[in-house]
Amino acid sequence: MSDAATVYQTLYIDKVYPYPQSSKPVISANYSSPGPVIEAYQGDTLVIRVINRLNVSTTLHWHGMFQIGTPDMDGAVGATQCPIPAGREFTYTFKADPAGTAWYHGHWLEQYTDGLYGPIIIRRQVEPNRAQYDREQVLMVTDWYNEPARSKLSRWYLSTNNPDGVEPLPDAIAVNGKFSQSLFIPVSGTSRIRFRVINGASLSMYKFSIDGLPLHIIELDQIDTAPYNVSSFVINVAQRVSFYIDLRELDPIYSQSGSSSTNSIFIRFQAMTEMYPVDILNYNSPYDIQRYAYPTFFNPLYLAILSLDSTNATPTYQPRDANPMPQMASLPSDNNMLAARPFNLTNYIVPNPTHYLNLVVKFAVDSTGINRGYMNDVTYTFTGNYTKLRPNVFQGIKPETKEPLLQQMANRPNTLGLPSPRVQAGSPLPTIQSDGYGHYLVPYQAVVDIFLNNTDNGEHPFHLHGGNFWIIATSDYPQAENLYRQAYLKRDVVSVPSNGWAKIRFIADNPGAWMFHCHIEWHMAAGLILTFVVAPNQLLAQGYTISNSQYDMCSVA
C-alpha cells in the first residue's frame, strides 16, 4: 500500500471552436471537450487550479466526490461558494474519495451544456474486479446543441413563449467529443476491456449496447458490484456505469471467421425518445434551417466503432435501429439496475431510517407565465449569482448577494431560522422540514428516507451532493425493497420513473450545504433543486472555517 500523494492539475476554462462547420463556441477545460482526465488514487489530495479565461463567471463541481471536511470545495454556486469571476482563478483542494468513475462539470450558467466537463478516475490500490480486464476505455456521452445554452436556449426555454416547458432538444449526440460513426475504439491487442461510461448529457437518457457481446457490469456510480451480466443497460443523466467485455464471447455471426465476418462492430447509444416531450424525428422548432454538416435534426441512434483488428475499418454490416444481437441476458424493468449487488456484502449494513421526507415533483406555470419545476410546491430560483430568498429578514437565511449558504451556516448557525424535524401524519418518523424556500435542516447522523413522488410525464435523474444513498425501490421495481433488504445498492443519481416514484435512504454524516436536484440541466435552470442544510453546529465543532480565498472571491463577485 503506497502513501497518499498530492496530485496537481491546472484547468484553463476558455472558449474553443472545435468543429469547422460550426460557429458555436464550446466552453472547454484546457481547450478540449471533454476536458482532460483527472486521475488519482483514493486518499490522494487533489489540488486543482481553475483559471477562468471566460468573460463571465464559472465554477466546477466534482461530481461524485464526497468533500468530507471540505464542503466549500463542492463548486455549487450559491450553496457552497461564490463563482469564480471572469479573469480570476481559484484552487480547489480536496481528498480523492470515494474511488470509482466520477466526473467534473460546470455548475453555473448552464456551462456544462456547452462543453465544460471531463472524467475523473479515482483508483483503489487493489481494484475488486481488476482480474477481469487488461485495459480501460472512457466513453463520455453528451448532448450537442447547435446554439449556445445560456444566451439562446435558456432564454427560449424559460420564457412565456414556452408555457408547456418544452426542453431544448439536442441536435446530435457526441461521445468523447465526436459525432456518430467518427469515434473508433481500437482493441489494441487484448480481448478484455473495461469501459467506463459517463452520461454527461443535459437532457438525454440512453440505452447502451455493443453488438454481439454481453456486458459484465462491475461499477455503478462509484460502487463496485459483483459482475452483473446484461445485453444492454440504461444510463440516465449524470450516472456512470462500468463494465468489461471479453471478445472471446463475441457472437460467431460477427467474428472474422463467421458467416458474416467483420473486422469491427458497432457500439450503440440509443437515446430513449420517451424522455422528450415532442416527436424528435419530426420536430424542427426552434431550428428551422439545416445548415451544418453534422445532424441538425436529431438522430437518436449514435454509433461508435469497436475495431477488432485495430485498423479502424467500419463494420461490413449495416446498422439497424434495434440492436440485432439476440438477448443474451434480460434486464429487469428497472433503469436503476437494482438487481445488481454490491461487490462485498461482508459487514455491509443498511441502517434503519430515523427520519422521513416526502418530495412531490411537478412542473407548473408561475405567476409570470413561465413553466418552472417544483418540489413540494417550491421552485428554487436564483438572482444574479446567489439564491433569491426573501427581503427584509432579520432571522433566517438572508438574501445576501455575497454570502453563499455555507458561509451563512458557518457565520450564524443558530439564526438560520430553519424548522427542526417533527412527527406528522403519514409517518411514524420525524419529518424533515423546509423553511418554505427549498432549504431543509437535517440533524447530524440522521438516517433519512426520501420518497420522491414524480407527478411529471418525464423521468428525472436526481443527484445528491456530498454523499450517496441507497436506492431501496422504484415504481418500476417495487419488489426490490423486500428482495434486497440489507443489500441495497448505493448510487449518487437515482432515475425516478415518469408518473412514478423512487425511495432512497441517506445518512447525514457530512455537515455542509448539499444540493439535491434533478440533473437535467434545463430542469435545474427551472428550479428543480433543494438544499439540505446538514448539521450547522457540527460543522463548526469539526473546526470548519471559511477561507480567505472564498471571502475574496465573494468580495469581487
Side-chain angles (χ1 to χ4, degrees):
M1 187 72 68
S2 63
D3 294 333
T6 300
V7 177
Y8 296 91
Q9 175 75 57
T10 299
L11 298 178
Y12 295 92
I13 311 304
D14 205 350
K15 294 179 180 179
V16 294
Y17 298 84
Y19 306 113
Q21 308 96 326
S22 175
S23 60
K24 175 192 169 180
V26 170
I27 300 176
S28 69
N30 288 5
Y31 302 95
S32 67
S33 180
V37 178
I38 296 174
E39 296 189 69
Y41 280 96
Q42 187 175 24
D44 287 351
T45 297
L46 287 167
V47 179
I48 304 175
R49 182 186 178 197
V50 177
I51 300 173
N52 183 11
R53 290 182 171 176
L54 302 172
N55 59 4
V56 295
S57 300
T58 193
T59 187
L60 285 176
H61 169 53
W62 316 98
H63 186 121
M65 298 291 96
F66 286 172
Q67 302 295 353
I68 295 173
T70 54
D72 54 346
M73 296 290 131
D74 189 53
V77 172
T80 63
Q81 71 166 87
C82 296
I84 306 168
R88 301 288 292 265
E89 65 178 74
F90 181 74
T91 298
Y92 292 90
T93 303
F94 55 91
K95 291 292 184 184
D97 182 68
T101 308
W103 62 303
Y104 60 92
H105 61 81
H107 214 283
W108 184 232
L109 303 177
E110 295 85 62
Q111 289 176 348
Y112 100 71
T113 302
D114 287 335
L116 185 52
Y117 51 77
I120 302 175
I121 309 299
I122 307 300
R123 304 185 186 280
R124 290 181 176 85
Q125 295 292 340
V126 179
E127 291 283 350
N129 288 292
R130 184 61 185 85
Q132 307 301 328
Y133 56 91
D134 300 311
R135 63 172 287 247
E136 297 184 14
Q137 175 68 50
V138 175
L139 296 177
M140 195 161 193
V141 58
T142 57
D143 291 321
W144 166 261
Y145 290 90
N146 292 332
E147 303 286 358
R150 186 67 178 186
S151 60
K152 291 194 176 181
L153 299 181
S154 288
R155 292 180 181 179
W156 173 81
Y157 173 56
L158 295 175
S159 73
T160 56
N161 294 323
N162 185 30
D164 293 330
V166 175
E167 297 89 351
L169 299 176
D171 296 292
I173 301 169
V175 178
N176 293 359
K178 295 184 179 295
F179 296 107
S180 187
Q181 300 200 55
S182 63
L183 176 63
F184 292 84
I185 308 297
V187 168
S188 300
T190 182
S191 65
R192 306 185 309 164
I193 306 170
R194 174 178 181 165
F195 285 85
R196 299 176 185 263
V197 179
I198 303 169
N199 185 347
S202 293
L203 176 61
S204 300
M205 179 167 71
Y206 304 95
K207 181 179 180 181
F208 179 94
S209 62
I210 301 179
D211 289 355
L213 284 168
L215 314 176
H216 306 280
I217 292 173
I218 56 175
E219 179 206 6
L220 299 173
D221 290 3
Q222 295 168 258
I223 296 295
D224 292 305
T225 71
Y228 175 60
N229 304 333
V230 299
S231 59
S232 62
F233 61 81
V234 173
I235 183 169
N236 210 336
V237 174
Q239 292 184 323
R240 289 88 66 209
V241 178
S242 279
F243 64 90
Y244 71 87
I245 59 170
D246 190 332
L247 292 174
R248 293 171 296 187
E249 298 175 329
L250 181 64
D251 189 308
I253 195 173
Y254 296 99
S255 69
Q256 296 180 47
S257 59
S259 58
S260 301
S261 62
T262 181
N263 292 333
S264 56
I265 54 179
F266 286 117
I267 299 172
R268 298 169 184 260
F269 287 90
Q270 179 75 48
M272 309 292 284
T273 56
E274 60 266 29
M275 288 288 289
Y276 307 122
V278 295
D279 179 0
I280 61 169
L281 298 179
N282 298 297
Y283 178 71
N284 294 346
S285 177
Y287 320 116
D288 296 323
I289 302 172
Q290 187 166 355
R291 57 187 183 275
Y292 298 107
Y294 45 79
T296 301
F297 305 121
F298 189 59
N299 179 353
L301 177 61
Y302 179 98
L303 298 170
I305 296 165
L306 184 65
S307 178
L308 302 177
D309 60 1
S310 300
T311 61
N312 288 354
T314 57
T316 57
Y317 61 95
Q318 292 299 311
R320 299 199 293 267
D321 288 342
N323 187 341
M325 181 187 70
Q327 289 291 94
M328 293 183 179
S330 62
L331 185 69
S333 178
D334 166 31
N335 291 339
N336 292 292
M337 285 182 277
L338 296 184
R341 302 272 47 83
F343 179 82
N344 186 358
L345 284 171
T346 303
N347 299 321
Y348 191 88
I349 298 173
V350 181
N352 292 324
T354 62
H355 292 75
Y356 178 78
L357 176 59
N358 183 73
L359 291 173
V360 179
V361 176
K362 72 175 185 180
F363 282 80
V365 176
D366 68 10
S367 60
T368 68
I370 296 175
N371 193 294
R372 297 192 184 275
Y374 293 82
M375 283 194 278
N376 289 357
D377 294 320
V378 173
T379 187
Y380 210 79
T381 58
F382 296 89
T383 178
N385 296 330
Y386 306 89
T387 308
K388 179 180 180 181
L389 298 164
R390 43 191 161 167
N392 304 319
V393 176
F394 298 98
Q395 179 164 318
I397 295 175
K398 298 190 297 184
E400 291 291 331
T401 57
K402 295 185 179 181
E403 191 180 20
L405 183 54
L406 185 66
Q407 293 188 17
Q408 297 187 45
M409 290 174 62
N411 288 332
R412 48 188 190 87
N414 297 316
T415 60
L416 296 175
L418 298 175
S420 298
R422 63 175 181 264
V423 176
Q424 293 178 304
S427 174
L429 301 174
T431 298
I432 302 296
Q433 301 295 311
S434 167
D435 61 351
Y437 298 90
H439 307 97
Y440 291 77
L441 180 65
V442 186
Y444 187 54
Q445 297 289 3
V447 182
V448 184
D449 267 5
I450 300 177
F451 188 85
L452 283 155
N453 180 11
N454 180 17
T455 66
D456 184 54
N457 290 329
E459 190 150 341
H460 293 281
F462 273 88
H463 168 53
L464 176 66
H465 290 226
N468 55 15
F469 44 76
W470 290 278
I471 303 179
I472 296 172
T474 73
S475 53
D476 283 348
Y477 198 17
Q479 60 268 42
E481 180 163 6
N482 294 318
L483 283 174
Y484 308 122
R485 192 177 299 276
Q486 293 306 319
Y488 303 131
L489 191 74
K490 277 188 166 182
R491 299 191 76 164
D492 62 43
V493 180
V494 60
S495 192
V496 186
S498 61
N499 294 301
W501 54 266
K503 184 177 179 181
I504 65 175
R505 182 176 300 169
F506 80 97
I507 303 178
D509 55 1
N510 188 13
W514 305 115
M515 281 188 171
F516 181 66
H517 60 85
C518 177
H519 214 289
I520 291 173
E521 186 75 335
W522 311 115
H523 297 171
M524 282 191 66
L528 210 55
I529 307 171
L530 60 78
T531 301
F532 290 122
V533 178
V534 177
N537 289 299
Q538 186 68 24
L539 180 71
L540 297 186
Q542 292 180 353
Y544 173 76
T545 57
I546 303 164
S547 67
N548 288 334
S549 59
Q550 288 281 10
Y551 278 128
D552 290 345
M553 200 155 51
C554 290
S555 69
V556 298

